[in-house]
Amino acid sequence: MRKLLARIGDMVGTDHGGKRYTYGNDPKFGPVSTSRLPSHWVRTTCGYCSVGCGMLLGVRDGRAVAAKGDPDHPVNRGRLCPKGLSEHHTLAAPGRLTDPLVRRNGRLVATGWDDALGEMVTRFGRLIEEHGPESVAVISTGQLVTEEFYALGKLVRLGMRLAHFDGNTTLCMSSAVSGYKQAFGSDGPPGSYADLDQADCIVLIGANVADNHPLLTPRLLENRAATSIVIDPRVTKTAMVADQHLAIRPRTDITLLNGIIKLVIDWDMIDHGFVAEHTEGYAELADHVQQFDLDRVERECGIPASAVAKAARTIAEAKRCTVAWTMGVNHSVQGTETVALVCALSAITGNLGRPGSSPFSITGQCNAMGTREAGFTASMPGYRSYENAHDRAELAQLWNVTEDRLPLVRGRAYPDIINGIIDGRIRGLWVIATNPVVSFPNRDLLEFALAKLDTLVVQDGFSTPTSDLADIVLAAGIWGEKEGTFTNSERRVSRVRAACRPPGNARTDFDIFMDVARRWGVHDDLFAGWATPADAFEEWRRVSHGRLCDYSGITYERIDASGGVQWPCPTDEPVPLGGTPRLYTDGVVPTPSGRVRLACVTPKPFSEQPNRRYPFTLNTGRTVEHWHTRTKTGEVPILDSLSPQAWIEVHPDDANQLGIRVGDTVRVSSERGAIDGIGVRITSIVRRGEVFVPFHFDEMCANRLTLNEFDPVSREPNYKQCAVRIDTGAKGR
Ligand SMILES: Nc1nc2c(c(=O)[nH]1)N[C@H]1C(S)=C(S)[C@@H](COP(=O)(O)OP(=O)(O)OC[C@H]3O[C@@H](n4cnc5c(=O)[nH]c(N)nc54)[C@H](O)[C@@H]3O)O[C@H]1N2
Ligand SMILES: Nc1nc2c(c(=O)[nH]1)N[C@H]1C(S)=C(S)[C@@H](COP(=O)(O)OP(=O)(O)OC[C@H]3O[C@@H](n4cnc5c(=O)[nH]c(N)nc54)[C@H](O)[C@@H]3O)O[C@H]1N2
Ligand code: SF4
Ligand SMILES: [Mo]
């Protein structure tokens, strides 16, 4: 306890666990202030998760000293979770990069921007000259502001004319994107958080919102009229507060959903009107699901038939049902298909386009949505298709470039970029605001790939396990130091504001992109007249006009007046001040026929089943205190103290059999790698034969174990199931 209190004391600027916690102490950062009393508050949006909470960031002497919830923001209404409340501590954290670095004689040394960017442009330029535009790739992120991401897409694909550009969103949301495209003909979550308030049934599939979207949880709890159903193999904090928990066996969601659809059809409780007018493929679906009777569902999913029937009954009887999901669905080789099936269930029960009724993909990162819409990865900006002649002509005209300047195809997805490095086709890589060494599956293979590169450039706000391997490191400003917008899971665009300057010589990503554009000789051509991110936003408003994700009516002023505006928000039609709460209100979706395509999906067992050598199924995920690879939350004393190290959850019966006791540490290994000395939590949160490890910790990296298998359509990794063994008493690697 005393240690914990001492750590909390660190938050006002004393030493922290041997590391110098520089808050208020380092002259490099300007006038010293030990006071946490802000002289003014800056209105902004949290930079962690996609809930998109409005926040007030307290500033004193040019430094962020406090954070509190914005009482006027429509999403969080004044509340924040522990990460948001302590987010100001990330800005002056000791791990921040203050200068660009270049590798000289094997060591990364601080240098100036001319040197670092000059070297980057020369080395990438040479690779492209010798090996073509296929030889350099870019992997970015869902954590830039939309303005930066929009600029980056233009720079990479039109300016540098690189063939391969993708982001960490492929590790995350791509199955939701491709599932939505299959069902509705376009990406775009149809619902709103308000649906959680208005629904009378809320189903959460593979979504642990209590840990990972904390400020959605009050909305769930406060809707007393709704029955909540959680589908998750673990008894998560979210499952603990649900009315019904279906603790299914890993990756049996497709069987369960098919079984529920069969019951709803057998009971004749589908929405006949909606099915007749707004769907296609119903007869095939009704026929397909006949094989999923309750006995089969009980047997394969490992849950009692009565519990399945009860959940199906609740869904069928609901007047307004919202089915939300996250990574328990997306992180699978059948992610796209599972998403399409969730959309089918919503459609046959008429739960689309009405208040409280939607198939709702809750996104992950603060701006995963903005990057989906404005980016140049899965589609061209504004959800435009690479192949569609009309889309191409329109974009070329908007940008005043010839059509042949636009790429013809999307280029490699993230895992295929890594494969391209391994087979020698890709030799240069620019990694922006993502930390693949910790977050990409099968770490050994990933490190092998990165070591093969001719040139690795990493642009980050912190020194990371990935930047440690780089040839050139670009020191970036982070959230709190830059201007722009984030778009949250419900399509709400909110403002992000700078409270202080990037540390030392670090620069905002926007400024770095503009400088690279200048050095590449494409600035005047693509970014003429751009001085600030606001200029990018103005252009993006024009470029998105008329598209589903229409931002044209969204101005910074309108965001200020409303607290956040939901797209579509066209200029030429009347839209409420806060934008459009939901899509497809007339039941018409952007498929060629305007009808929802109902998917027939067949479950496949996951490839690496538990076996004699590796008898456990490993599940990986998150905890509320930490953000991904901990570059930020690992530097915040209160969060670090609350969750200082990794753990493995093991069922009491398995622990007994292995002879493991509370407090023991073990070695966990898979076909691909091992982690040693990880602490055991003996708990019935997990089922027998299943174990769980959070993926946040570099030193106990779950991704040494995970499998590099990917959804064939979305290319999203299968992070949630692989086979592992547990050995006791092992020391050292
Ligand atoms: N605190 C915190 N919050 C975050 C993040 C963070 O790192 N930390 N990251 C953000 C990001 S980018 C994302 S994508 C979201 C992710 O948010 P979540 O998707 O909620 O996060 P996970 O813990 O990865 O996985 C969710 C659940 O999927 C379950 N699951 C595993 N296998 C299966 C299965 O076969 N079927 C079903 N139905 N469920 C299964 C797991 O047991 C787990 O409870 O969180 C966002 N919010
Ligand atoms: N085993 C397993 N692995 C997983 C998952 C899982 O559930 N299980 N989840 C996957 C998912 S859903 C995701 S989204 C990924 C996330 O994986 P990553 O993207 O690798 O995770 P982060 O730690 O968020 O990395 C973001 C990096 O950007 C830096 N950064 C932050 N803000 C800025 C900025 O403004 N500018 C710049 N230049 N840098 C910045 C941070 O310091 C950090 O190094 O992990 C995936 N990996
Ligand atoms: S719920 Fe998400 S957006 Fe809100 S404060 Fe927490 S991390 Fe930030
Ligand atoms: Mo994510």
Side-chain angles (χ1 to χ4, degrees), residues 48-50 83 172-173 205-209 211-214 231-234 236 248-253 326-329 331 363-365 619-628 692 695-696 720-721:
Y48 286 114
C49 89
S50 62
K83 286 187 303 303
C172 180
M173 303 315 312
I205 315 182
N208 179 13
V209 292
D211 273 295
N212 303 324
H213 297 94
I231 303 172
D232 195 307
R234 293 165 68 224
T236 58
I248 54 167
R249 288 208 181 96
R251 185 86 84 61
T252 56
D253 304 78
T326 48
M327 294 307 125
V329 169
H331 280 167
T363 53
Q365 303 168 83
N619 175 2
T620 63
R622 296 161 162 79
T623 184
V624 67
E625 298 86 2
H626 285 302
W627 179 256
H628 297 162
F692 174 86
F695 86 99
H696 304 295
K720 296 288 191 259
Q721 303 91 22

Short mmCIF file of all heavy atoms in Angstrom, two decimals, residues 48-50 83 172-173 205-209 211-214 231-234 236 248-253 326-329 331 363-365 619-628 692 695-696 720-721, ligand 1:
data_model
loop_
_atom_site.label_atom_id
_atom_site.label_comp_id
_atom_site.label_asym_id
_atom_site.label_seq_id
_atom_site.Cartn_x
_atom_site.Cartn_y
_atom_site.Cartn_z
N TYR A 48 -7.09 8.01 -26.76
CA TYR A 48 -6.96 6.55 -26.67
C TYR A 48 -8.04 5.88 -27.53
O TYR A 48 -7.86 5.68 -28.71
CB TYR A 48 -7.05 6.08 -25.22
CG TYR A 48 -5.83 6.36 -24.37
CD1 TYR A 48 -5.89 7.26 -23.31
CD2 TYR A 48 -4.63 5.69 -24.60
CE1 TYR A 48 -4.79 7.49 -22.49
CE2 TYR A 48 -3.52 5.91 -23.78
CZ TYR A 48 -3.61 6.82 -22.73
OH TYR A 48 -2.52 7.04 -21.92
N CYS A 49 -9.17 5.54 -26.91
CA CYS A 49 -10.06 4.62 -27.63
C CYS A 49 -11.13 5.33 -28.45
O CYS A 49 -11.33 6.53 -28.35
CB CYS A 49 -10.65 3.58 -26.67
SG CYS A 49 -12.20 4.05 -25.89
N SER A 50 -11.82 4.52 -29.23
CA SER A 50 -12.79 5.03 -30.20
C SER A 50 -14.11 5.48 -29.60
O SER A 50 -14.98 5.91 -30.33
CB SER A 50 -13.08 3.92 -31.18
OG SER A 50 -13.66 2.84 -30.45
N LYS A 83 -7.62 5.85 -18.03
CA LYS A 83 -6.62 6.27 -19.03
C LYS A 83 -6.83 7.72 -19.42
O LYS A 83 -5.89 8.50 -19.50
CB LYS A 83 -6.69 5.38 -20.28
CG LYS A 83 -6.10 4.01 -20.07
CD LYS A 83 -6.03 3.20 -21.36
CE LYS A 83 -7.37 3.04 -22.03
NZ LYS A 83 -8.41 2.41 -21.20
N CYS A 172 -7.22 -4.94 -36.89
CA CYS A 172 -8.25 -4.48 -35.96
C CYS A 172 -9.64 -4.43 -36.57
O CYS A 172 -10.52 -5.21 -36.20
CB CYS A 172 -7.80 -3.09 -35.51
SG CYS A 172 -8.87 -2.27 -34.37
N MET A 173 -9.84 -3.52 -37.52
CA MET A 173 -11.20 -3.26 -38.01
C MET A 173 -11.47 -3.82 -39.39
O MET A 173 -12.58 -3.70 -39.89
CB MET A 173 -11.42 -1.73 -38.10
CG MET A 173 -11.22 -0.97 -36.83
SD MET A 173 -11.95 -1.71 -35.38
CE MET A 173 -13.57 -2.09 -35.97
N ILE A 205 -20.91 -9.17 -28.81
CA ILE A 205 -20.20 -10.38 -29.21
C ILE A 205 -18.69 -10.11 -29.21
O ILE A 205 -18.22 -9.24 -29.94
CB ILE A 205 -20.62 -10.87 -30.61
CG1 ILE A 205 -22.14 -10.82 -30.75
CG2 ILE A 205 -20.09 -12.27 -30.89
CD1 ILE A 205 -22.65 -11.33 -32.09
N GLY A 206 -17.96 -10.84 -28.39
CA GLY A 206 -16.51 -10.68 -28.34
C GLY A 206 -16.11 -9.25 -28.07
O GLY A 206 -15.13 -8.75 -28.63
N ALA A 207 -16.87 -8.59 -27.22
CA ALA A 207 -16.61 -7.17 -26.92
C ALA A 207 -16.64 -7.00 -25.41
O ALA A 207 -17.68 -7.18 -24.79
CB ALA A 207 -17.68 -6.29 -27.57
N ASN A 208 -15.50 -6.66 -24.86
CA ASN A 208 -15.39 -6.47 -23.42
C ASN A 208 -15.37 -4.97 -23.13
O ASN A 208 -14.33 -4.39 -22.82
CB ASN A 208 -14.12 -7.18 -22.92
CG ASN A 208 -13.91 -7.00 -21.44
OD1 ASN A 208 -14.81 -6.56 -20.71
ND2 ASN A 208 -12.72 -7.33 -20.97
N VAL A 209 -16.53 -4.34 -23.28
CA VAL A 209 -16.57 -2.88 -23.19
C VAL A 209 -16.18 -2.35 -21.82
O VAL A 209 -15.64 -1.25 -21.71
CB VAL A 209 -17.94 -2.29 -23.62
CG1 VAL A 209 -18.19 -2.50 -25.10
CG2 VAL A 209 -19.07 -2.86 -22.80
N ASP A 211 -13.74 -3.10 -19.95
CA ASP A 211 -12.31 -2.80 -19.98
C ASP A 211 -11.93 -1.87 -21.13
O ASP A 211 -11.04 -1.03 -20.98
CB ASP A 211 -11.50 -4.10 -20.13
CG ASP A 211 -11.21 -4.76 -18.80
OD1 ASP A 211 -10.48 -4.16 -18.00
OD2 ASP A 211 -11.72 -5.88 -18.56
N ASN A 212 -12.55 -2.06 -22.27
CA ASN A 212 -11.97 -1.49 -23.49
C ASN A 212 -12.72 -0.33 -24.11
O ASN A 212 -12.15 0.40 -24.93
CB ASN A 212 -11.79 -2.60 -24.52
CG ASN A 212 -10.92 -3.71 -23.94
OD1 ASN A 212 -9.99 -3.43 -23.19
ND2 ASN A 212 -11.25 -4.94 -24.26
N HIS A 213 -13.96 -0.18 -23.75
CA HIS A 213 -14.72 1.01 -24.16
C HIS A 213 -15.48 1.48 -22.92
O HIS A 213 -16.71 1.51 -22.89
CB HIS A 213 -15.67 0.67 -25.32
CG HIS A 213 -14.94 0.23 -26.56
ND1 HIS A 213 -14.69 -1.08 -26.85
CD2 HIS A 213 -14.36 0.94 -27.55
CE1 HIS A 213 -14.01 -1.17 -27.99
NE2 HIS A 213 -13.79 0.05 -28.44
N PRO A 214 -14.70 1.83 -21.86
CA PRO A 214 -15.29 2.00 -20.53
C PRO A 214 -16.46 2.96 -20.49
O PRO A 214 -17.44 2.72 -19.77
CB PRO A 214 -14.12 2.54 -19.70
CG PRO A 214 -12.89 2.08 -20.40
CD PRO A 214 -13.25 2.05 -21.86
N ILE A 231 -21.66 -12.48 -25.38
CA ILE A 231 -21.16 -13.73 -25.96
C ILE A 231 -19.64 -13.66 -25.94
O ILE A 231 -19.03 -12.89 -26.68
CB ILE A 231 -21.69 -13.90 -27.40
CG1 ILE A 231 -23.23 -13.87 -27.39
CG2 ILE A 231 -21.15 -15.19 -28.02
CD1 ILE A 231 -23.86 -13.84 -28.78
N ASP A 232 -19.02 -14.38 -25.03
CA ASP A 232 -17.56 -14.31 -24.85
C ASP A 232 -17.12 -15.56 -24.11
O ASP A 232 -17.76 -15.93 -23.11
CB ASP A 232 -17.21 -13.04 -24.04
CG ASP A 232 -15.73 -12.69 -24.11
OD1 ASP A 232 -14.88 -13.57 -23.81
OD2 ASP A 232 -15.41 -11.53 -24.45
N PRO A 233 -16.03 -16.21 -24.53
CA PRO A 233 -15.59 -17.40 -23.81
C PRO A 233 -15.20 -17.12 -22.36
O PRO A 233 -15.24 -18.02 -21.52
CB PRO A 233 -14.37 -17.88 -24.60
CG PRO A 233 -14.28 -17.08 -25.82
CD PRO A 233 -15.19 -15.89 -25.68
N ARG A 234 -14.81 -15.87 -22.09
CA ARG A 234 -14.38 -15.54 -20.72
C ARG A 234 -15.51 -14.84 -19.96
O ARG A 234 -16.33 -14.16 -20.54
CB ARG A 234 -13.19 -14.58 -20.74
CG ARG A 234 -11.93 -15.19 -21.28
CD ARG A 234 -10.93 -14.09 -21.60
NE ARG A 234 -10.43 -13.42 -20.41
CZ ARG A 234 -10.30 -12.10 -20.30
NH1 ARG A 234 -10.67 -11.30 -21.27
NH2 ARG A 234 -9.80 -11.58 -19.20
N THR A 236 -15.80 -12.00 -18.59
CA THR A 236 -15.18 -10.68 -18.52
C THR A 236 -15.96 -9.79 -17.56
O THR A 236 -17.07 -10.13 -17.15
CB THR A 236 -15.22 -10.01 -19.91
OG1 THR A 236 -16.59 -9.94 -20.31
CG2 THR A 236 -14.43 -10.82 -20.94
N ILE A 248 -19.29 -19.15 -24.76
CA ILE A 248 -19.10 -20.12 -25.84
C ILE A 248 -17.66 -20.59 -25.94
O ILE A 248 -16.74 -19.90 -25.52
CB ILE A 248 -19.50 -19.54 -27.22
CG1 ILE A 248 -18.77 -18.23 -27.49
CG2 ILE A 248 -20.99 -19.37 -27.32
CD1 ILE A 248 -18.90 -17.80 -28.93
N ARG A 249 -17.49 -21.77 -26.53
CA ARG A 249 -16.13 -22.22 -26.85
C ARG A 249 -15.56 -21.27 -27.88
O ARG A 249 -16.29 -20.71 -28.70
CB ARG A 249 -16.18 -23.63 -27.45
CG ARG A 249 -16.51 -24.68 -26.45
CD ARG A 249 -15.89 -26.03 -26.84
NE ARG A 249 -16.27 -27.01 -25.86
CZ ARG A 249 -17.31 -27.84 -26.00
NH1 ARG A 249 -18.01 -27.86 -27.10
NH2 ARG A 249 -17.61 -28.67 -25.03
N PRO A 250 -14.21 -21.12 -27.86
CA PRO A 250 -13.59 -20.20 -28.80
C PRO A 250 -14.05 -20.46 -30.24
O PRO A 250 -14.16 -21.61 -30.66
CB PRO A 250 -12.10 -20.51 -28.67
CG PRO A 250 -11.96 -21.14 -27.32
CD PRO A 250 -13.25 -21.80 -27.01
N ARG A 251 -14.31 -19.37 -30.93
CA ARG A 251 -14.63 -19.39 -32.36
C ARG A 251 -15.79 -20.31 -32.72
O ARG A 251 -15.77 -21.01 -33.74
CB ARG A 251 -13.38 -19.80 -33.15
CG ARG A 251 -13.59 -19.73 -34.64
CD ARG A 251 -13.33 -18.40 -35.21
NE ARG A 251 -11.92 -18.29 -35.44
CZ ARG A 251 -11.26 -19.09 -36.26
NH1 ARG A 251 -11.89 -20.01 -36.94
NH2 ARG A 251 -9.98 -18.94 -36.40
N THR A 252 -16.82 -20.32 -31.89
CA THR A 252 -18.02 -21.04 -32.30
C THR A 252 -19.18 -20.06 -32.52
O THR A 252 -20.33 -20.45 -32.55
CB THR A 252 -18.41 -22.12 -31.25
OG1 THR A 252 -18.57 -21.48 -29.98
CG2 THR A 252 -17.35 -23.19 -31.14
N ASP A 253 -18.82 -18.80 -32.71
CA ASP A 253 -19.85 -17.77 -32.90
C ASP A 253 -20.72 -18.05 -34.12
O ASP A 253 -21.92 -17.77 -34.10
CB ASP A 253 -19.18 -16.39 -33.07
CG ASP A 253 -18.30 -16.06 -31.89
OD1 ASP A 253 -17.17 -16.59 -31.83
OD2 ASP A 253 -18.72 -15.30 -31.03
N THR A 326 -16.74 -6.56 -31.30
CA THR A 326 -15.38 -6.05 -31.55
C THR A 326 -14.45 -7.21 -31.87
O THR A 326 -14.72 -8.01 -32.76
CB THR A 326 -14.86 -5.15 -30.41
OG1 THR A 326 -15.08 -5.78 -29.15
CG2 THR A 326 -15.52 -3.80 -30.40
N MET A 327 -13.36 -7.36 -31.10
CA MET A 327 -12.28 -8.21 -31.58
C MET A 327 -12.51 -9.71 -31.42
O MET A 327 -11.88 -10.50 -32.10
CB MET A 327 -10.95 -7.81 -30.91
CG MET A 327 -10.51 -6.43 -31.31
SD MET A 327 -10.44 -6.21 -33.08
CE MET A 327 -11.48 -4.79 -33.27
N GLY A 328 -13.41 -10.11 -30.52
CA GLY A 328 -13.72 -11.54 -30.45
C GLY A 328 -14.28 -12.03 -31.78
O GLY A 328 -14.17 -13.21 -32.11
N VAL A 329 -14.85 -11.12 -32.56
CA VAL A 329 -15.35 -11.46 -33.90
C VAL A 329 -14.29 -11.19 -34.96
O VAL A 329 -13.97 -12.04 -35.79
CB VAL A 329 -16.64 -10.64 -34.20
CG1 VAL A 329 -17.03 -10.75 -35.67
CG2 VAL A 329 -17.78 -11.10 -33.31
N HIS A 331 -10.98 -10.71 -34.92
CA HIS A 331 -9.66 -11.36 -34.87
C HIS A 331 -9.74 -12.84 -35.19
O HIS A 331 -9.40 -13.69 -34.37
CB HIS A 331 -9.03 -11.18 -33.48
CG HIS A 331 -8.41 -9.85 -33.27
ND1 HIS A 331 -8.02 -9.38 -32.03
CD2 HIS A 331 -8.06 -8.87 -34.15
CE1 HIS A 331 -7.50 -8.19 -32.16
NE2 HIS A 331 -7.52 -7.84 -33.43
N THR A 363 -15.53 0.50 -32.97
CA THR A 363 -14.15 0.52 -33.47
C THR A 363 -13.17 0.52 -32.31
O THR A 363 -13.57 0.41 -31.14
CB THR A 363 -13.91 1.71 -34.42
OG1 THR A 363 -14.31 2.91 -33.77
CG2 THR A 363 -14.70 1.54 -35.69
N GLY A 364 -11.88 0.64 -32.59
CA GLY A 364 -10.87 0.48 -31.54
C GLY A 364 -10.14 1.75 -31.21
O GLY A 364 -10.29 2.33 -30.13
N GLN A 365 -9.31 2.22 -32.16
CA GLN A 365 -8.46 3.37 -31.89
C GLN A 365 -9.25 4.66 -32.06
O GLN A 365 -10.25 4.72 -32.78
CB GLN A 365 -7.28 3.38 -32.86
CG GLN A 365 -6.47 2.10 -32.79
CD GLN A 365 -5.48 2.00 -33.93
OE1 GLN A 365 -4.41 2.55 -33.86
NE2 GLN A 365 -5.83 1.27 -34.97
N ASN A 619 -6.03 -17.35 -25.70
CA ASN A 619 -6.84 -16.19 -26.08
C ASN A 619 -6.02 -14.97 -25.64
O ASN A 619 -5.37 -15.01 -24.60
CB ASN A 619 -8.17 -16.33 -25.31
CG ASN A 619 -9.13 -15.17 -25.47
OD1 ASN A 619 -8.88 -14.22 -26.18
ND2 ASN A 619 -10.27 -15.28 -24.78
N THR A 620 -6.00 -13.91 -26.46
CA THR A 620 -5.25 -12.71 -26.07
C THR A 620 -6.14 -11.49 -26.16
O THR A 620 -7.11 -11.48 -26.92
CB THR A 620 -4.04 -12.48 -27.01
OG1 THR A 620 -4.52 -12.24 -28.34
CG2 THR A 620 -3.08 -13.66 -27.01
N GLY A 621 -5.82 -10.46 -25.39
CA GLY A 621 -6.64 -9.24 -25.42
C GLY A 621 -6.10 -8.20 -24.48
O GLY A 621 -4.88 -8.06 -24.32
N ARG A 622 -7.03 -7.50 -23.80
CA ARG A 622 -6.67 -6.23 -23.16
C ARG A 622 -7.13 -6.13 -21.71
O ARG A 622 -7.98 -6.87 -21.26
CB ARG A 622 -7.36 -5.11 -23.94
CG ARG A 622 -6.90 -5.00 -25.33
CD ARG A 622 -7.90 -4.22 -26.18
NE ARG A 622 -7.24 -3.77 -27.39
CZ ARG A 622 -7.02 -4.55 -28.44
NH1 ARG A 622 -7.42 -5.80 -28.44
NH2 ARG A 622 -6.38 -4.08 -29.49
N THR A 623 -6.62 -5.09 -21.04
CA THR A 623 -7.10 -4.72 -19.72
C THR A 623 -7.28 -3.20 -19.68
O THR A 623 -6.63 -2.48 -20.43
CB THR A 623 -6.13 -5.20 -18.62
OG1 THR A 623 -6.70 -4.89 -17.35
CG2 THR A 623 -4.77 -4.51 -18.71
N VAL A 624 -8.15 -2.74 -18.78
CA VAL A 624 -8.55 -1.33 -18.82
C VAL A 624 -7.37 -0.37 -18.62
O VAL A 624 -7.33 0.71 -19.20
CB VAL A 624 -9.67 -1.04 -17.78
CG1 VAL A 624 -9.18 -1.20 -16.34
CG2 VAL A 624 -10.27 0.35 -17.98
N GLU A 625 -6.37 -0.78 -17.83
CA GLU A 625 -5.31 0.18 -17.48
C GLU A 625 -4.35 0.46 -18.63
O GLU A 625 -3.68 1.49 -18.63
CB GLU A 625 -4.47 -0.34 -16.30
CG GLU A 625 -5.23 -0.55 -15.02
CD GLU A 625 -5.89 -1.92 -14.95
OE1 GLU A 625 -5.73 -2.73 -15.90
OE2 GLU A 625 -6.59 -2.19 -13.96
N HIS A 626 -4.24 -0.49 -19.56
CA HIS A 626 -3.19 -0.31 -20.57
C HIS A 626 -3.72 -0.13 -21.98
O HIS A 626 -4.77 -0.66 -22.34
CB HIS A 626 -2.19 -1.47 -20.52
CG HIS A 626 -1.28 -1.35 -19.34
ND1 HIS A 626 -0.49 -0.24 -19.15
CD2 HIS A 626 -1.09 -2.15 -18.28
CE1 HIS A 626 0.17 -0.38 -18.01
NE2 HIS A 626 -0.17 -1.52 -17.46
N TRP A 627 -2.94 0.62 -22.72
CA TRP A 627 -3.23 0.86 -24.13
C TRP A 627 -2.20 0.10 -24.95
O TRP A 627 -1.01 0.39 -24.88
CB TRP A 627 -3.18 2.35 -24.44
CG TRP A 627 -3.45 2.65 -25.87
CD1 TRP A 627 -2.54 2.99 -26.85
CD2 TRP A 627 -4.73 2.61 -26.52
NE1 TRP A 627 -3.18 3.16 -28.04
CE2 TRP A 627 -4.53 2.93 -27.87
CE3 TRP A 627 -6.03 2.32 -26.09
CZ2 TRP A 627 -5.57 2.97 -28.80
CZ3 TRP A 627 -7.05 2.36 -27.01
CH2 TRP A 627 -6.82 2.69 -28.35
N HIS A 628 -2.66 -0.89 -25.70
CA HIS A 628 -1.84 -1.64 -26.64
C HIS A 628 -0.44 -1.97 -26.13
O HIS A 628 -0.29 -2.68 -25.14
CB HIS A 628 -1.73 -0.89 -27.98
CG HIS A 628 -3.04 -0.75 -28.65
ND1 HIS A 628 -3.30 0.15 -29.64
CD2 HIS A 628 -4.22 -1.42 -28.47
CE1 HIS A 628 -4.55 0.04 -30.04
NE2 HIS A 628 -5.12 -0.89 -29.34
N PHE A 692 -5.64 -17.15 -21.01
CA PHE A 692 -5.69 -15.79 -21.56
C PHE A 692 -4.45 -15.02 -21.14
O PHE A 692 -4.04 -15.07 -19.98
CB PHE A 692 -6.94 -15.06 -21.05
CG PHE A 692 -7.01 -13.60 -21.44
CD1 PHE A 692 -7.55 -13.22 -22.66
CD2 PHE A 692 -6.52 -12.60 -20.60
CE1 PHE A 692 -7.62 -11.88 -23.04
CE2 PHE A 692 -6.58 -11.25 -20.97
CZ PHE A 692 -7.13 -10.90 -22.19
N PHE A 695 -1.96 -8.67 -24.34
CA PHE A 695 -0.87 -8.54 -25.34
C PHE A 695 -0.06 -7.27 -25.15
O PHE A 695 0.80 -6.96 -25.96
CB PHE A 695 -1.43 -8.63 -26.76
CG PHE A 695 -1.94 -7.32 -27.32
CD1 PHE A 695 -1.15 -6.57 -28.18
CD2 PHE A 695 -3.19 -6.86 -27.01
CE1 PHE A 695 -1.60 -5.36 -28.71
CE2 PHE A 695 -3.66 -5.66 -27.53
CZ PHE A 695 -2.86 -4.91 -28.38
N HIS A 696 -0.25 -6.54 -24.05
CA HIS A 696 0.34 -5.21 -23.89
C HIS A 696 1.85 -5.20 -23.64
O HIS A 696 2.49 -4.18 -23.81
CB HIS A 696 -0.30 -4.49 -22.70
CG HIS A 696 -1.79 -4.37 -22.77
ND1 HIS A 696 -2.42 -3.63 -23.74
CD2 HIS A 696 -2.78 -4.89 -22.01
CE1 HIS A 696 -3.74 -3.69 -23.55
NE2 HIS A 696 -3.98 -4.45 -22.51
N LYS A 720 -6.93 -14.60 -31.71
CA LYS A 720 -7.64 -15.06 -30.52
C LYS A 720 -7.53 -16.57 -30.26
O LYS A 720 -7.92 -17.01 -29.19
CB LYS A 720 -9.12 -14.64 -30.59
CG LYS A 720 -9.34 -13.12 -30.57
CD LYS A 720 -9.07 -12.52 -29.20
CE LYS A 720 -9.52 -11.07 -29.06
NZ LYS A 720 -8.40 -10.10 -29.18
N GLN A 721 -7.03 -17.35 -31.21
CA GLN A 721 -6.88 -18.77 -30.92
C GLN A 721 -5.56 -19.32 -31.46
O GLN A 721 -5.27 -19.19 -32.65
CB GLN A 721 -8.01 -19.62 -31.54
CG GLN A 721 -9.42 -19.24 -31.16
CD GLN A 721 -10.05 -18.22 -32.11
OE1 GLN A 721 -9.63 -18.07 -33.25
NE2 GLN A 721 -11.05 -17.50 -31.61
N1 LIG B 1 -7.96 -0.38 -22.08
C1 LIG B 1 -7.88 -0.50 -23.39
N2 LIG B 1 -8.92 -0.15 -24.18
C2 LIG B 1 -8.83 -0.30 -25.52
C3 LIG B 1 -7.65 -0.76 -26.14
C4 LIG B 1 -6.56 -1.11 -25.29
O1 LIG B 1 -5.48 -1.52 -25.76
N3 LIG B 1 -6.71 -0.96 -23.93
N4 LIG B 1 -7.58 -0.91 -27.48
C5 LIG B 1 -8.63 -0.35 -28.33
C6 LIG B 1 -8.68 -1.11 -29.58
S1 LIG B 1 -7.64 -0.65 -30.85
C7 LIG B 1 -9.57 -2.10 -29.78
S2 LIG B 1 -9.58 -2.92 -31.28
C8 LIG B 1 -10.61 -2.41 -28.81
C9 LIG B 1 -10.76 -3.91 -28.59
O2 LIG B 1 -11.73 -4.16 -27.63
P1 LIG B 1 -12.19 -5.65 -27.34
O3 LIG B 1 -12.55 -6.32 -28.59
O4 LIG B 1 -13.20 -5.61 -26.27
O5 LIG B 1 -10.81 -6.28 -26.79
P2 LIG B 1 -10.13 -7.70 -26.63
O6 LIG B 1 -9.78 -7.85 -25.19
O7 LIG B 1 -9.03 -7.81 -27.61
O8 LIG B 1 -11.19 -8.82 -27.05
C10 LIG B 1 -12.51 -8.82 -26.64
C11 LIG B 1 -13.01 -10.15 -26.18
O9 LIG B 1 -13.03 -11.12 -27.22
C12 LIG B 1 -13.13 -12.35 -26.53
N5 LIG B 1 -12.98 -13.49 -27.44
C13 LIG B 1 -11.89 -14.23 -27.70
N6 LIG B 1 -12.17 -15.23 -28.53
C14 LIG B 1 -13.48 -15.14 -28.82
C15 LIG B 1 -14.38 -15.92 -29.61
O10 LIG B 1 -14.01 -16.90 -30.25
N7 LIG B 1 -15.68 -15.51 -29.66
C16 LIG B 1 -16.14 -14.44 -28.94
N8 LIG B 1 -17.42 -14.14 -29.04
N9 LIG B 1 -15.32 -13.71 -28.17
C17 LIG B 1 -14.00 -14.04 -28.12
C18 LIG B 1 -12.07 -12.22 -25.48
O11 LIG B 1 -12.26 -13.16 -24.45
C19 LIG B 1 -12.20 -10.79 -25.05
O12 LIG B 1 -12.91 -10.65 -23.83
O13 LIG B 1 -10.31 -1.82 -27.55
C20 LIG B 1 -9.97 -0.44 -27.64
N10 LIG B 1 -9.90 0.02 -26.28
#
